[in-house]
Amino acid sequence: MENQKSKIGVYICHCGGNISDYVDIEKVKNLIAREEGVHLVNNMMFTCSDSAQVDIVNDIKENNLDGMVVASCSPKLHLLTFRDVAKRAGLNQYNYIHANIREQCSWAHSDKTELATDKAVRIIRAAISKVRLSETLEQIEIPAINTAVVVGAGVSGMRSAIELADQGTNVYLIEKDHFVGGRVSQWGKLFPTEEPGENLVERLYHKVKERENITLFTGAEIKAVNGSVGNFELDVHITPRYINGMCDEAIQDQVLKACHAEVDDEFNFGLTKRKAIYKNYPNAYPETPVVDMDLCDKCGECLKICDGRITLDQKEENISIKAGAILLNTGFDPYEPKEGEYGYKQVDNVITLQQFKRLIESNGDKLVYNGKKIRDIAYIYCVGSRDAKGENKHCSRYCCTSAIHTAVDAKTKFKNIRNYHVTRGIRTYGKQETLFTDSSRQGDTYFQFFEGAMPTVENENGKALIKVKDALTQNEDIEFTADLVVLVTGMVARKDENLVNIFKVPVGSDKFYNEIHNKLRPVETVIEGLFIAGGCQSPKNIRATMASTLAASAKANSLIQSGMIALEPIVAKVNPELCEWCGACDDLCTYNAFEKVEYEGKTVAKVNEAMCKGCGACTPVCPTNAIDVVSLSDTEIETMIDSFVRDVEFATTTTEEKADSFAEVVDFEKQVRVLPELSQRILDSLETEPKAIPDIAKELGVAADDVLYHLMSLRKYGMIKDTDEINEDEYYLYELKK
Amino acid sequence: MSRLNPDFSTKLKKYGAFDTSLCYNCGNCTAICSLSDKKNSFPRMMVRASVIGMEDKITSSLDPWMCYYCGECSTSCPRQANPGELMMSLRRWLSAKYDWTGLSGLLYRSLPISLLAFLLTAVAVIFYSFKLNFNVETIMHFGHQFEMFAIITVFAIIILPNVFRMWWSVIIKPKVKVPLKAYFKGAGDLFVHMFTQKRTLGCDDSQARWFMHMVLVFGYLALLFTTVVLDWLGTDNMFIIILGYVESIVIFAITFIFMAGRIKRNKELNKFSQPSDWFFVIWLFLMGFTAFIVRIFIDLNIIENNLWMYLFHLIILAQWAVLIVPFGKWTHFIYRSFAMYFDKITETIK
């Protein structure tokens, strides 16, 4: 083939023994050097070290290399490192290929070192053949609108909207409810400041309103999304409030009273009723109440009091907005216990923690539920969480803290109540541990059960009877009655399959949205330009939610603010000559990357480079073989396979060569080690007394690094061990293991 | 199936217990206790039983008596729940529970009632002396007879029935089957522990505590014997007189050290003195000290003109004999020994 790379540099990493202990680097080097196109082969203790990187850069420059292979660990760890090395040396980063000879070779075959060496050679050969064919590629640049859509105006959504706006990005803040604040507005006092959730919502709302580049939509639902990163287009359906501004408070109260249509108040988790004209709570924002048209029977009572402002004939509307990036801050649902789960909906006085929080908020001096005064309260923990065999295997993290905080709060507010916590072990991690102490100090009693023996709740003379096999009392069965049973329910993913379908956002087995990488890329999704934060991703407390939402807004802003987005060029390409548009690729593509275009009088498929992830799923389904993924073409893959399957011809090695590296020291048949010379000298030196590395190096007249390498190998083979002593320079002493 | 009784720990606080609900069941107390073993695992289980209010479990348990209060559990408690003092409170509560008269509990719970009882006893002694016309000889004769009479009565009416009740609650009620032979086999242990308290040596703190305590027990029992049987205050026998002096000095010297410790709070076990602890140690001191002075007054021949001194001694003696011995801290001498005995005879069964 033409354009084949002919001056390739191959760098083989010892990984400090991780590779070189099992793979015979010298042998590999010799074999690789014979490969076509290879100009030089080098081995290094750690290729990723700064000094090694500098050496590689110099090598490439001096020898004018046109391709590079690094054979070391997984590309997941260091692909970007060496792309950077290539860039610094003036080599196109796509003319560098990574060969993984650690995870896929030395670690996996540590028991068969000769075969590991054989496999390493094949892996590197495959990489070389790929480099030979590699093209010089540039990243794809696409224009981006510096506008972000933030879905959900809870504390998380509002916080990220503010942050994005301050960084110069325009924001559309979209809220399904008619009031902002989400879950936090339902929560009452929060630990540790004891500030009510309402206050946080109020503060954030005013900041949102202060910023001209944030547009807030309430009663708004996203119906469809088109386009891709940089240029999303969203269809949003908006339900009006049916009220234009509001009269003064006195009239507002009259209107709320005059309305007679009632329904269970979702905001109070069904504990109370609300009217057709309503606000979630008196200080809810935006301040204007809303008319629930599904409930309103248009009796006209409200119009008699406040005509002109209330306009029941407002129309629902659909708008279309454009944005460069989307942030999902859609939050979570509290777990709804199944009927009969711990007596829920079967035994009177069994409620959820979230309901109890609303109950505390809505009660005055005395705690009353269903007309009965409450004294003894039992809290049953981990309801709908940590269920090893059920749907929700996760720990929701916030519930222990929240339940205990609520118990302390309730005890502070209603003096003569008594709290009983039936737990599966308390997880008030971090600073929240002080809450647990507060709760103990105020006299709360704790029980602990295990998953195998769940507590039960039954009815006993109008009270709830709780039975628990208490691990803290030698698994004795203990029973007690309570006036109220609070089920401490965890967080589950919101029931919003609609959004999942629209955005095609990946969900985990726990139904929460999934990020790309749990640790390294925690707020990005596999869909470029779509970010997730807060409770929709996993159970989080407010603090963790804020951290993730700020991270997401920073990521979104940095992606779109320059007006340009650089994307990986490794995408599918359709050869229009061959394509006959059958639609098979389009049906299959998860990312909606295909579009129909006209080419020389026929309809063919074209790939939207901004949406394609280069997954390659389309290539095998194409009946005319018209699709190839850039840098992963059939030719490249086939050549790699050929290089991989070709036999490795080992030259017979001499004894001297054998002693060169630790990989040689095993005489397979006799299972005897032939030690390298330096190792033997170190052992002889340690014969007399325990010594430190610098002392041995000095004595033998060799570099300390070499001693270290041999010493570590000797230790691994159980021939020496470290003493717990140190010498006067604070170096550890090593001795022979007898 | 046990029913939760949250009021129990409130009740226990009157016996000196601390905030038991602070316990988070880490078990450090049991781990550090050098006396706790597989059979008698404490104090955590007792703390837990107190929190839950498992009265039956506590009443049938010997664990509170198995603890000799070195205080290590309290010092190592990460929650300051004070398990050591809880065990002490449980001993008080158990003593009250064993006592059929109910007076024990009343005196433990209420300082005013205790003071009133002490006052009434003093008034009774003075009143009776008034009836005897404050005649030294008759009063001293009465005092000597009172001692013998009190010992027999208190034992017969209070101590023995209470020990019987203890046996009932730890062996009969929980249906522990003890073969008759075991009762005889274990009898030796009863006396060994009664007179040596050798289990204290298992505690990690200073062995001096055990030694002083044992000397005090012997001194006390010896002085009791010397005054009751050998009639120390009435004898002319030089040997007996000197013996009595030595014994009373031993008593008030050691109790003085114990008192000083409680004032200085120099050890964990001294830190939280309840009125019952103070009564016990002060009255023991006063017993030794007043007996010593009375005998000096007799030897100097000035007792006839200083009858008040003997009356003072007699008041102390009476309060000791009718209040502290049957209903106060003195009973631990009996209950501890029997606890060791019951533990021994149930050893093979559990």
Side-chain angles (χ1 to χ4, degrees):
Chain A
M1 251 204 232
E2 302 160 50
N3 291 332
Q4 287 211 0
K5 302 287 178 270
S6 56
K7 292 189 87 180
I8 300 167
V10 181
Y11 300 90
I12 304 168
C13 186
H14 288 238
C15 198
N18 272 301
I19 296 170
S20 57
D21 280 356
Y22 313 104
V23 171
D24 181 349
I25 305 285
E26 280 304 315
K27 210 183 252 180
V28 173
K29 238 173 112 174
N30 292 335
L31 286 162
I32 291 302
R34 300 181 209 153
E35 287 297 303
E36 188 193 338
V38 173
H39 183 74
L40 59 88
V41 185
N42 267 338
N43 58 327
M44 292 160 158
M45 186 56 83
F46 289 106
T47 39
C48 57
S49 67
D50 285 350
S51 58
Q53 288 187 32
V54 171
D55 289 348
I56 297 175
V57 169
N58 292 338
D59 254 11
I60 296 172
K61 282 183 181 164
E62 278 166 25
N63 297 296
N64 209 11
L65 299 180
D66 59 4
M68 162 166 100
V69 168
V70 177
S72 63
C73 51
S74 160
K76 280 192 171 181
L77 238 66
H78 281 304
L79 183 79
L80 296 179
T81 313
F82 294 109
R83 276 191 177 178
D84 202 47
V85 169
K87 269 193 228 164
R88 291 201 310 259
L91 184 71
N92 183 281
Q93 52 177 327
Y94 297 97
N95 292 139
Y96 137 68
I97 300 295
H98 201 94
N100 178 357
I101 57 165
R102 194 179 74 178
E103 282 85 341
Q104 291 180 357
C105 186
S106 70
W107 280 357
H109 309 297
S110 54
D111 56 334
K112 292 192 175 84
T113 52
E114 230 163 42
L115 291 174
T117 307
D118 178 286
K119 185 173 173 185
V121 173
R122 290 166 189 264
I123 293 171
I124 299 169
R125 275 198 322 216
I128 293 167
S129 51
K130 191 174 176 204
V131 171
R132 273 207 306 272
L133 296 174
S134 65
E135 291 173 61
T136 301
L137 299 171
E138 293 307 326
Q139 292 195 317
I140 301 162
E141 288 200 333
I142 55 163
I145 310 166
N146 190 11
T147 298
V149 165
V150 176
V151 186
V155 287
S156 173
M158 289 197 284
R159 188 70 188 86
S160 55
I162 294 162
E163 198 62 23
L164 281 163
D166 287 350
Q167 287 168 359
T169 298
N170 298 316
V171 181
Y172 291 115
L173 181 55
I174 295 178
E175 173 56 53
K176 190 169 77 178
D177 196 5
H178 286 280
F179 301 96
V180 300
R183 296 288 175 209
V184 170
S185 60
Q186 295 174 291
W187 266 198
K189 282 185 192 165
L190 302 170
F191 179 77
T193 56
E194 302 302 322
E195 192 179 5
E198 287 179 20
N199 289 18
L200 298 192
V201 172
E202 186 176 4
R203 285 221 301 264
L204 287 171
Y205 177 74
H206 288 309
K207 283 190 177 171
V208 165
K209 294 310 277 183
E210 277 164 20
R211 280 158 179 77
E212 285 180 355
N213 52 352
I214 302 179
T215 315
L216 169 68
F217 295 103
T218 54
E221 249 181 289
I222 294 168
K223 291 291 177 196
V225 178
N226 288 306
S228 56
V229 59
N231 299 281
F232 288 108
E233 207 178 308
L234 294 88
D235 295 337
V236 182
H237 177 82
I238 295 178
T239 317
R241 302 181 99 79
Y242 303 101
I243 297 176
N244 281 328
M246 198 55 207
C247 338
D248 62 60
E249 269 186 35
I251 296 178
Q252 187 173 315
D253 285 347
Q254 280 181 39
V255 170
L256 294 184
K257 267 183 203 148
C259 183
H260 61 84
E262 273 193 339
V263 70
D264 279 352
D265 188 356
E266 220 173 86
F267 185 78
N268 280 340
F269 299 102
L271 286 177
T272 54
K273 301 272 181 202
R274 71 160 166 80
K275 302 288 177 65
I277 298 185
Y278 72 98
K279 285 180 83 168
N280 277 350
Y281 56 101
N283 294 324
Y285 289 96
E287 293 94 330
T288 313
V290 66
V291 180
D292 179 352
M293 264 307 161
D294 294 338
L295 187 61
C296 173
D297 54 8
K298 304 203 171 154
C299 66
E301 287 295 324
C302 54
L303 296 174
K304 287 179 196 158
I305 304 165
C306 188
D307 198 11
R309 303 270 190 169
I310 300 175
T311 46
L312 298 180
D313 51 359
Q314 273 182 7
K315 292 278 175 294
E316 295 180 7
E317 53 182 331
N318 290 307
I319 59 165
S320 170
I321 52 180
K322 285 189 171 173
I326 300 169
L327 268 70
L328 296 183
N329 280 298
T330 52
F332 66 97
D333 274 333
Y335 171 77
E336 169 80 14
K338 297 179 186 77
E339 193 178 325
E341 190 172 1
Y342 297 116
Y344 188 65
K345 288 190 173 161
Q346 285 178 355
V347 177
D348 285 346
N349 303 348
V350 179
I351 63 175
T352 65
L353 176 66
Q354 291 75 21
Q355 288 177 316
F356 185 52
K357 275 183 162 298
R358 296 313 304 161
L359 193 69
I360 294 176
E361 287 303 302
S362 55
N363 268 269
D365 299 341
K366 283 175 184 157
L367 186 59
V368 176
Y369 179 69
N370 273 351
K372 281 183 197 158
K373 206 166 161 264
I374 304 297
R375 190 181 67 156
D376 294 323
I377 305 168
Y379 303 82
I380 298 179
Y381 283 58
C382 299
V383 181
S385 289
R386 298 175 66 198
D387 185 2
K389 289 186 189 115
E391 260 177 34
N392 304 310
K393 294 180 176 59
H394 59 271
C395 162
S396 291
R397 297 178 87 230
Y398 96 112
C399 1
C400 281
T401 303
S402 182
I404 296 177
H405 182 244
T406 310
V408 173
D409 190 24
K411 178 93 178 172
T412 317
K413 192 171 176 185
F414 315 106
K415 295 280 177 277
N416 51 1
I417 61 161
R418 292 196 294 214
N419 296 315
Y420 304 101
H421 303 263
V422 184
T423 81
R424 278 178 63 193
I426 291 296
R427 297 180 170 185
T428 45
Y429 57 96
K431 292 177 183 174
Q432 294 148 194
E433 179 70 3
T434 56
L435 267 179
F436 177 51
T437 312
D438 291 347
S439 142
S440 310
R441 213 172 277 282
Q442 74 181 13
D444 290 8
T445 308
Y446 284 82
F447 301 90
Q448 190 173 330
F449 64 94
F450 291 113
E451 203 181 5
M454 308 295 247
T456 58
V457 179
E458 36 195 277
N459 184 23
E460 190 193 70
N461 308 325
K463 285 191 170 194
L465 176 71
I466 295 102
K467 288 182 183 166
V468 53
K469 197 179 243 327
D470 184 26
L472 302 179
T473 321
Q474 292 178 325
N475 281 326
E476 280 199 38
D477 291 307
I478 295 185
E479 58 173 31
F480 63 98
T481 56
D483 305 308
L484 193 66
V485 176
V486 175
L487 302 184
V488 180
T489 47
M491 293 181 182
V492 293
R494 270 200 198 263
K495 291 182 202 76
D496 57 0
E497 276 163 23
N498 200 18
L499 273 190
V500 176
N501 289 336
I502 290 169
F503 287 108
K504 294 220 168 74
V505 46
V507 293
S509 58
D510 56 4
K511 308 256 172 68
F512 285 100
Y513 299 162
N514 258 4
E515 62 287 312
I516 292 184
H517 189 282
N518 181 286
K519 292 176 175 62
L520 301 176
R521 301 177 75 179
V523 294
E524 294 155 87
T525 66
V526 290
I527 297 164
E528 203 81 38
L530 183 69
F531 300 89
I532 52 175
C536 65
Q537 177 186 21
S538 64
K540 288 189 184 68
N541 61 16
I542 298 173
R543 192 184 150 103
T545 294
M546 287 302 147
S548 72
T549 205
L550 290 176
S553 45
K555 285 304 286 183
N557 174 265
S558 63
L559 179 71
I560 56 177
Q561 63 151 356
S562 69
M564 273 295 176
I565 298 171
L567 296 174
E568 278 285 291
I570 301 170
V571 292
K573 274 220 158 78
V574 181
N575 183 345
E577 304 288 340
L578 297 176
C579 178
E580 298 287 344
W581 183 265
C582 62
C585 50
D586 188 36
D587 294 343
L588 189 88
C589 182
T590 330
Y591 307 99
N592 276 345
F594 284 97
E595 46 199 66
K596 274 187 207 170
V597 291
E598 292 301 312
Y599 176 81
E600 292 181 357
K602 60 173 180 176
T603 307
V604 295
K606 188 177 177 295
V607 174
N608 179 338
E609 292 179 334
M611 291 170 94
C612 178
K613 290 272 156 192
C615 70
C618 51
T619 52
V621 298
C622 180
T624 58
N625 216 5
I627 312 175
D628 254 338
V629 175
V630 174
S631 98
L632 290 164
S633 66
D634 287 354
T635 330
E636 277 164 304
I637 301 277
E638 280 159 16
T639 324
M640 282 173 80
I641 294 172
D642 288 345
S643 302
F644 194 90
V645 296
R646 183 153 44 90
D647 278 344
V648 179
E649 289 155 24
F650 284 112
T652 16
T653 44
T654 62
T655 330
E656 270 160 51
E657 269 177 315
K658 261 189 178 177
D660 229 30
S661 144
F662 261 95
E664 290 292 343
V665 300
V666 180
D667 182 330
F668 289 103
E669 280 166 27
K670 293 182 192 161
Q671 292 287 308
V672 174
R673 282 183 227 289
V674 183
L675 289 174
E677 189 218 340
L678 183 54
S679 293
Q680 196 53 55
R681 282 172 64 201
I682 292 172
L683 286 179
D684 294 343
S685 157
L686 287 173
E687 198 74 52
T688 46
E689 54 175 350
K691 283 173 190 159
I693 292 171
D695 301 337
I696 301 170
K698 216 168 152 189
E699 189 187 316
L700 304 180
V702 292
D705 275 0
D706 293 340
V707 175
L708 171 70
Y709 173 69
H710 284 264
L711 208 61
M712 289 303 123
S713 303
L714 286 170
R715 189 173 72 153
K716 196 163 94 184
Y717 294 122
M719 300 167 109
I720 64 153
K721 62 177 182 185
D722 24 349
T723 64
D724 284 334
E725 290 151 43
I726 47 173
N727 71 5
E728 56 272 27
D729 298 327
E730 303 198 334
Y731 284 104
Y732 278 102
L733 298 174
Y734 295 86
E735 64 183 358
L736 292 182
K737 197 169 179 182
K738 298 258 165 72
Chain B
M1 184 70 73
S2 311
R3 193 88 172 186
L4 176 78
N5 176 11
D7 297 322
F8 181 74
S9 40
T10 324
K11 195 159 77 181
L12 207 57
K13 276 186 193 161
K14 296 204 169 124
Y15 289 85
F18 281 69
D19 229 338
T20 40
S21 63
L22 276 179
C23 169
Y24 59 21
N25 295 288
C26 65
N28 265 351
C29 47
T30 304
I32 201 136
C33 177
S34 45
L35 291 178
S36 170
D37 55 31
K38 216 171 181 177
K39 186 185 163 202
N40 302 102
S41 172
F42 59 88
R44 193 196 76 85
M45 264 320 295
M46 279 293 121
V47 178
R48 188 64 190 164
S50 308
V51 170
I52 305 287
M54 303 162 97
E55 285 196 35
D56 287 349
K57 193 185 177 82
I58 299 170
T59 319
S60 65
S61 172
L62 290 170
D63 290 354
W65 301 111
M66 294 289 122
C67 158
Y68 276 70
Y69 204 169
C70 64
E72 287 256 21
C73 50
S74 292
T75 44
S76 67
C77 176
R79 300 279 281 183
Q80 287 82 48
N82 225 322
E85 197 54 25
L86 174 91
M87 295 297 275
M88 188 72 219
S89 312
L90 285 178
R91 288 193 283 276
R92 294 186 194 113
W93 182 79
L94 281 175
S95 308
K97 187 92 182 167
Y98 300 149
D99 180 26
W100 64 270
T101 64
L103 280 172
S104 251
L106 207 58
L107 296 179
Y108 275 125
R109 286 194 302 266
S110 165
L111 179 60
I113 292 178
S114 300
L115 292 175
L116 188 70
F118 276 86
L119 189 69
L120 286 176
T121 315
V123 169
V125 170
I126 293 167
F127 179 72
Y128 197 72
S129 310
F130 169 72
K131 276 187 82 174
L132 296 178
N133 299 322
F134 293 114
N135 179 309
V136 175
E137 288 232 346
T138 12
I139 292 175
M140 283 183 72
H141 180 67
F142 162 72
H144 187 222
Q145 280 187 330
F146 168 77
E147 257 184 301
M148 285 191 279
F149 174 75
I151 290 171
I152 292 162
T153 321
V154 163
F155 257 88
I157 300 180
I158 312 289
I159 308 280
L160 277 181
N162 288 354
V163 168
F164 178 79
R165 282 164 61 85
M166 180 184 183
W167 171 70
W168 189 267
S169 33
V170 299
I171 292 183
I172 302 304
K173 209 172 156 212
K175 295 187 179 129
V176 184
K177 289 213 174 79
V178 179
L180 197 62
K181 209 167 69 182
Y183 282 101
F184 294 105
K185 266 185 158 176
D189 265 56
L190 172 65
F191 293 102
V192 168
H193 284 286
M194 192 176 274
F195 294 107
T196 65
Q197 304 85 41
K198 68 174 186 181
R199 189 174 159 85
T200 325
L201 285 168
C203 286
D204 279 342
D205 62 341
S206 158
Q207 313 279 294
R209 174 162 77 98
W210 163 77
F211 182 73
M212 290 207 297
H213 188 271
M214 195 178 71
V215 171
L216 180 63
V217 171
F218 276 107
Y220 167 72
L221 292 174
L223 184 65
L224 195 70
F225 182 79
T226 314
T227 44
V228 176
V229 180
L230 303 180
D231 192 18
W232 179 41
L233 297 182
T235 186
D236 290 331
N237 181 325
M238 207 48 163
F239 173 73
I240 294 172
I241 294 172
I242 293 172
L243 183 68
Y245 271 131
V246 173
E247 289 159 354
S248 54
I249 289 171
V250 164
I251 292 177
F252 73 72
I254 292 181
T255 46
F256 183 78
I257 297 170
F258 282 179
M259 279 197 292
R262 283 196 182 272
I263 290 167
K264 280 192 280 185
R265 303 182 172 205
N266 56 352
K267 283 185 198 154
E268 191 58 36
L269 72 133
N270 290 334
K271 275 188 185 155
F272 308 98
S273 302
Q274 286 288 303
S276 54
D277 302 322
W278 284 116
F279 284 134
F280 182 71
V281 71
I282 293 173
W283 258 250
L284 198 49
F285 169 80
L286 287 176
M287 287 241 301
F289 192 66
T290 54
F292 180 79
I293 301 291
V294 165
R295 185 64 230 189
I296 284 184
F297 276 28
I298 294 170
D299 289 343
L300 295 177
N301 239 337
I302 52 172
I303 193 73
E304 304 223 4
N305 299 328
N306 291 288
L307 177 66
W308 62 269
M309 187 61 230
Y310 184 74
L311 276 186
F312 182 50
H313 173 65
L314 191 58
I315 289 170
I316 298 291
L317 196 68
Q319 289 163 332
W320 175 263
V322 303
L323 294 174
I324 296 176
V325 172
F327 309 117
K329 196 179 174 172
W330 187 88
T331 51
H332 81 278
F333 174 64
I334 297 295
Y335 295 143
R336 266 202 194 288
S337 318
F338 273 94
M340 294 307 299
Y341 173 54
F342 293 144
D343 184 58
K344 176 82 183 172
I345 63 176
T346 55
E347 206 168 47
T348 47
I349 301 139
K350 274 185 191 171

